[in-house]
Amino acid sequence: MNTLMKKWKKICYGCLPFPVAFALMYMLTFLFLMGSVAVWCIFHFEQISADGNAASNLLLNEEWLKEMQVLGNCFVYLVFCFVFAIWYKRAFLTGEKKQCGKRKGFSVSGLLGAVAFGISIQCLCSYALNLLLPLFPKVQKDYMALMDSMGTGQGFFPLIYMGILAPVAEELIFRGLILGYEKRELPFWCANFIQAFFFGVYHQNVVQFVYAFFIGILLGCLRHRQQSLKTVMLIHGIINITGNLLAFFKLDVLMERKSYMFMGIAVSLTAAIVSYLYLRKRKQ
């Protein structure tokens, strides 16, 4: 009985990075927003003296809030990278070094495989969403409104957030800490399901839950196979950047044409399977 209780405690502890990440996200976002308002008030003291509602009106300004959302995301995930890297290092990195020895860097073929997999998975998800979402108008409307309010877009800071900080932080949390802890107590398939489920929930909407869960399963398998976070961090970043580029060059509009959808799904699915199997065969 004591052994079973200890096992469950360890399983529950393995899920701890998820609520910690959520709590940190909301706390840091609030602090950043309040700090931004305070800084704005310092530099606009005369305007505040003339209009006592200037600060409160600022919080109702959608354009200003979107700009702060982007900078706030960068701030939050920068802190995440620092906090969860330390946690991961203390929990796993020393042991992995002892077991696996010195790591090798990326090879050109491995890098190309990761790029091909990331691009093809993003294109596959985009084609599938454009095919299925019109069948559910309310879900589509809510999803598009959410995407517009998330602080993503083009520019330097969105690129840093989506292409570097978010992939590094999220891989440390889900494929690093949660998967690593749960593998100690559970079979891999069960541990992988848990981290992918939390990864889907982390995105806080039904549509993203579905494809984030699917991507989480695949990245968890690659993480388990290669025993390194570098590849999945790279793929995660490529997926995010590809989605951004599709919107920037208006290529997502082409995906709305019925004549391209099924061909796009077939091509991207084939490319995803081939590149995934190639990466699976590589130990680094």
Side-chain angles (χ1 to χ4, degrees):
M1 188 65 179
N2 289 335
T3 303
L4 184 60
M5 287 297 294
K6 288 180 180 179
K7 185 179 182 69
W8 274 106
K9 285 182 179 179
K10 290 179 180 179
I11 292 172
C12 291
Y13 181 80
C15 300
L16 186 61
F18 177 72
V20 169
F22 252 113
L24 268 178
M25 178 189 298
Y26 285 107
M27 182 186 72
L28 292 171
T29 300
F30 176 78
L31 291 175
F32 182 85
L33 183 59
M34 292 300 100
S36 300
V37 172
V39 171
W40 185 89
C41 290
I42 292 172
F43 285 96
H44 296 80
F45 181 75
E46 293 182 0
Q47 183 177 343
I48 295 172
S49 300
D51 181 5
N53 295 323
S56 58
N57 290 337
L58 184 67
L59 294 173
L60 300 176
N61 187 322
E62 292 186 3
E63 291 300 321
W64 184 83
L65 286 175
K66 282 186 177 182
E67 291 179 6
M68 291 303 103
Q69 180 69 29
V70 174
L71 296 177
N73 286 338
C74 291
F75 170 71
V76 169
Y77 277 88
L78 187 62
V79 175
F80 272 22
C81 289
F82 179 74
V83 170
F84 291 106
I86 293 175
W87 189 344
Y88 178 75
K89 181 179 180 181
R90 292 184 176 180
F92 299 105
L93 196 56
T94 303
E96 284 192 357
K97 282 184 177 180
K98 288 180 179 178
Q99 293 176 9
C100 303
K102 187 177 180 181
R103 297 284 182 204
K104 294 181 180 179
F106 287 111
S107 66
V108 174
S109 58
L111 181 62
L112 292 176
V115 171
F117 180 66
I119 293 174
S120 57
I121 280 292
Q122 177 60 59
C123 290
L124 177 62
C125 290
S126 297
Y127 278 115
L129 286 177
N130 282 314
L131 182 65
L132 297 175
L133 280 181
L135 302 176
F136 308 94
K138 187 178 185 307
V139 174
Q140 183 181 31
K141 182 179 178 181
D142 293 342
Y143 174 71
M144 297 307 296
L146 179 66
M147 291 296 100
D148 289 338
S149 66
M150 283 182 63
T152 58
Q154 287 75 48
F156 177 75
F157 288 108
L159 180 63
I160 293 297
Y161 157 59
M162 295 178 64
I164 300 175
L165 297 178
V168 171
E170 290 175 7
E171 292 308 318
L172 283 168
I173 295 167
F174 297 100
R175 262 65 68 184
L177 289 167
I178 296 179
L179 182 60
Y181 279 128
E182 300 300 351
K183 280 197 306 181
R184 290 175 172 176
E185 308 298 327
L186 298 168
F188 168 72
W189 67 267
C190 186
N192 199 34
F193 178 90
I194 290 172
Q195 66 82 15
F197 175 80
F198 281 127
F199 184 56
V201 172
Y202 183 79
H203 289 79
Q204 304 179 61
N205 66 87
V206 175
V207 175
Q208 282 188 297
F209 171 84
V210 174
Y211 66 76
F213 175 80
F214 167 68
I215 291 172
I217 290 289
L218 296 178
L219 293 182
C221 290
L222 289 176
R223 161 74 177 104
H224 178 66
R225 176 69 175 176
Q226 298 197 354
Q227 294 297 310
S228 173
L229 284 173
K230 289 188 296 183
T231 300
V232 291
M233 285 177 179
L234 174 63
I235 293 171
H236 193 154
I238 292 168
I239 291 172
N240 288 355
I241 292 173
T242 302
N244 202 311
L245 291 176
L246 288 175
F248 179 74
F249 290 107
K250 308 298 182 183
L251 297 179
D252 53 340
V253 175
L254 295 177
M255 294 180 179
E256 295 175 0
R257 300 181 184 178
K258 295 288 185 181
S259 58
Y260 291 117
M261 279 189 184
F262 292 102
M263 181 177 67
I265 288 175
V267 172
S268 55
L269 178 60
T270 301
I273 292 173
V274 171
S275 55
Y276 176 78
L277 292 176
Y278 173 76
L279 291 171
R280 283 267 303 175
K281 290 180 180 180
R282 297 177 57 85
K283 292 186 177 180
Q284 293 292 341

